[in-house]
Amino acid sequence: MKVHILDQILNNRKRILVTGGAGFIGGALIRKLLSDSSAKIFNLDKFGYASNQDSINKKINLLGQSALERYKVLKLNLANFDQVNQAIKIAKPDLIFHLAAESHVDRSIDSPYEFISSNILGTFNLLESVRTFWNELPLKRKEIFRFHHISTDEVYGTLGNEGKFSELSTYRPNSPYSATKASSDHLVNAWHQTYGIPTVITNCSNNFGPWQYPEKLIPLAIFNALHEKKIRIYGDGQNVRDWLYVEDHVDGLLIAANKGKVGKSYCIGGFGETTNKDVVLKICKLLNKLSPNKTDYETQIEYVEDRPGHDKRYAIDSDLIQKELGWIPNNSFEESLEITVKWYIENQDWCEKLFLKSGYFGERVGLKNNQNYKN
Ligand code: NAD
Ligand code: TYD
């Protein structure tokens, strides 16, 4: 019989609801739960432009019938309260990982309403359904129940050249995306303080890895490079992000949800602080090695007009989760970037299929309100 190494950490949490499980991070989490636990998994997702289940289907094919029987999709929009309520009644979860959100800053600049609806109203609807459900649980299940809200370091705004964000940093979001994520964090905290829902929040840095829809810096740069398009760097390329490999993030989520203190927040960083220019140069170097072209990929780099309200620098102090819960990332930025570049080289069909489905082909977004911009 297969030993499920995660069952011990899950500590009797046998029914797990993942919202946003058809997205990048949710998909990685579900794959891990399917292969390393015996829990029943419910994937609540609206199946938006960035969603797909290919990675999960591939995992289920590998694992066989028992995994298929433990997995159920609940296709719905969190903005619809009645449907959310119904989904909670079906899933009867012991643990919720709430990842569903509109997640791309550039899109939030062009179309903020979607972000208000999914990230704020969606979180409110989920919390309200959970409140009724949790209140009616028998004491034992009530005690083990956890609501884990997955958020971002962008709620803290921007840093200068020095310092790092921690759990004590002040909320100062600057983009429509980060403002909606900050709002949802506040809702989750309020539902804990006021109604007693056992919550945990994590605020992580920029994720990257295989199976990410190619609209954010790393997968988009790789995709555009491979398709002989311009690799766009916003502004002077000196903005800094802290890059976290998605598999390391998933390990952090599993520890924080199950071992984290109720009502607390934990920051999860990747020890991967890098300027955007250096990220793109590293990608070009890897492509030159792994998929050489007649010309150096660097010649495709183009510096373009900056993003409106562009946060200068993000960096995370992961001391608390390290000391309290023993989490540290297992992969260096360099190693995981190479794995990621290789994966995109080998899976170009997958990106093209997603683009055909969504009608986006790697063009610039986020300047719709700027009259002078021509794509
Ligand atoms: P993603 O865009 O790949 O996936 C998000 C998923 O949520 C999609 O499948 C989408 O269909 C679903 N969704 C959105 N609105 C919904 C709604 N109203 N109802 C139901 N489903 C809905 O995003 P991701 O990168 O996997 O991010 C997951 C979570 O992690 C988000 O909450 C995001 O804010 C947070 N986060 C992401 C990063 C990152 O670098 N990707 C960093 C920090 C925090
Ligand atoms: P992104 O991946 O969109 O994540 P976030 O805005 O949530 O940090 O962007 C990462 C950084 O890369 C950010 O500073 C903006 C920059 N960027 C580019 O320079 N070019 C691009 O084409 C994109 C999408 C982002």
Side-chain angles (χ1 to χ4, degrees), residues 104 154 206 215-217 232 234 241 276 307 310:
H104 186 31
E154 303 188 27
N206 290 56
E215 64 180 347
K216 296 186 183 143
L217 179 64
R232 292 180 297 268
Y234 300 169
R241 297 295 182 262
N276 294 337
R307 169 189 279 173
H310 197 174

Side-chain angles (χ1 to χ4, degrees), residues 24-25 103-106 151-155 157 165 177 203-209 212 215-219 239-249 267-276 279 307 310-316 327 329 333 336-337 340:
F24 167 51
I25 303 171
S103 67
H104 186 31
V105 172
D106 289 330
S151 191
T152 167
D153 57 358
E154 303 188 27
V155 298
F165 297 132
Y177 162 68
N203 297 84
C204 70
S205 57
N206 290 56
N207 283 225
F208 71 102
Q212 184 173 26
E215 64 180 347
K216 296 186 183 143
L217 179 64
I218 290 181
N239 300 63
V240 173
R241 297 295 182 262
D242 169 23
W243 294 97
L244 171 63
Y245 190 49
V246 67
E247 305 288 336
D248 286 327
H249 184 204
C267 285
I268 307 182
F271 298 87
E273 259 193 76
T274 317
T275 64
N276 294 337
V279 169
R307 169 189 279 173
H310 197 174
D311 284 339
K312 178 72 184 163
R313 176 172 162 260
Y314 304 144
I316 283 194
W327 174 88
F333 181 51
S336 34
L337 188 65
T340 306

